[in-house]
Amino acid sequence: MLSVLALTSIVLLGIASQTTAIVVYTSWERHALVGTDVRLSCSFFSWQWTSPDVTFSWHYRPDGAKDSIAIFHYAGGAPYVDNKGPFRDRLEFVGNPSRRDGSILIKNVDFADNGTFTCDAKNPPDIAGRPSHVRLLVFEKVPVQAGVITGAIIGVVLGLLILIVAIYYLMRFLVARRVFSLSMSKHGKKGKGKEGSQQKQAGPLK
């Protein structure tokens, strides 16, 4: 009984220690075409109910730069967009804080937008946690990913193997059919020969 109580206490303490932690999620990488809009998703996991004081913050660090700049902040139920930075008039909040969604939309992306976007979220009293990062890559044409190429190659190889196996069994079937036909024709000839010899031995009836 004491061991059960001790184990229960440890579990409860473990849960209690997790109530101040928050885990933020974003994509690993996003691809976009020049001139299109791209959604950067951000959500979080928290042991607490979604607080009315939930906050989201987005920072941006261009490729090759050392420092990041604040481009968006959500607090007190209102979004605040940077109106002087590189995404002036091009950034829109499309998330739903009540559903733990702090996503933003970058409009009319260009090559200069390539960089790393960082999302951070707080859900008081859960405020301890690490922000999450997503890298944006803008292309003139969306490149074919290595996984697609690998999948296509595997598909072609499997298709060839299936074709070879089908041809092999078809050839075996045709050969077996030919052998059977020859065997039947030989038996037929032997049968006719025996009947002719029997008729000769019997001779004409008088």
Side-chain angles (χ1 to χ4, degrees):
M1 185 67 179
L2 291 175
S3 59
V4 174
L5 290 175
L7 181 60
T8 305
S9 300
I10 292 173
V11 172
L12 291 175
L13 287 173
I15 294 174
S17 64
Q18 292 175 338
T19 57
T20 57
I22 186 170
V23 183
V24 183
Y25 301 98
T26 62
S27 303
W28 174 257
E29 192 173 85
R30 292 284 284 138
H31 294 174
L33 291 173
V34 173
T36 61
D37 302 342
V38 60
R39 180 190 178 105
L40 302 180
S41 299
C42 178
S43 59
F44 67 86
F45 171 81
S46 170
W47 290 96
Q48 299 291 331
W49 294 101
T50 304
S51 169
D53 298 324
V54 63
T55 64
F56 289 96
S57 298
W58 280 91
H59 289 75
Y60 166 68
R61 180 173 59 83
D63 283 348
K66 294 182 178 180
D67 300 324
S68 61
I69 59 174
I71 59 173
F72 175 80
H73 185 68
Y74 177 92
Y80 300 91
V81 180
D82 177 30
N83 57 6
K84 295 182 180 179
F87 303 104
R88 180 180 55 191
D89 300 327
R90 294 195 298 129
L91 191 152
E92 179 183 351
F93 180 60
V94 293
N96 186 345
S98 64
R99 295 187 177 182
R100 305 186 175 190
D101 181 5
S103 303
I104 59 174
L105 184 73
I106 307 295
K107 302 178 181 179
N108 191 26
V109 296
D110 199 356
F111 295 116
D113 297 331
N114 285 331
T116 302
F117 293 78
T118 302
C119 177
D120 194 14
K122 306 296 181 186
N123 185 44
D126 287 359
I127 57 174
R130 295 182 179 180
S132 185
H133 312 278
V134 53
R135 188 163 183 236
L136 175 63
L137 296 175
V138 181
F139 298 96
E140 186 175 358
K141 294 181 179 180
V142 174
V144 179
Q145 297 182 359
V148 176
I149 297 175
T150 303
I153 294 174
I154 293 174
V156 171
V157 172
L158 289 176
L160 290 175
L161 289 175
I162 293 172
L163 180 61
I164 291 171
V165 172
I167 293 174
Y168 170 74
Y169 280 104
L170 178 62
M171 294 299 295
R172 286 190 60 180
F173 171 76
L174 293 176
V175 170
R177 185 177 180 182
R178 178 64 176 168
V179 171
F180 178 76
S181 299
L182 291 174
S183 177
M184 292 299 295
S185 63
K186 287 181 180 180
H187 285 298
K189 289 180 180 180
K190 288 182 179 179
K192 289 181 179 179
K194 288 181 180 179
E195 290 178 0
S197 63
Q198 289 175 358
Q199 290 177 0
K200 286 181 181 180
Q201 291 176 0
L205 296 173
K206 293 182 180 181

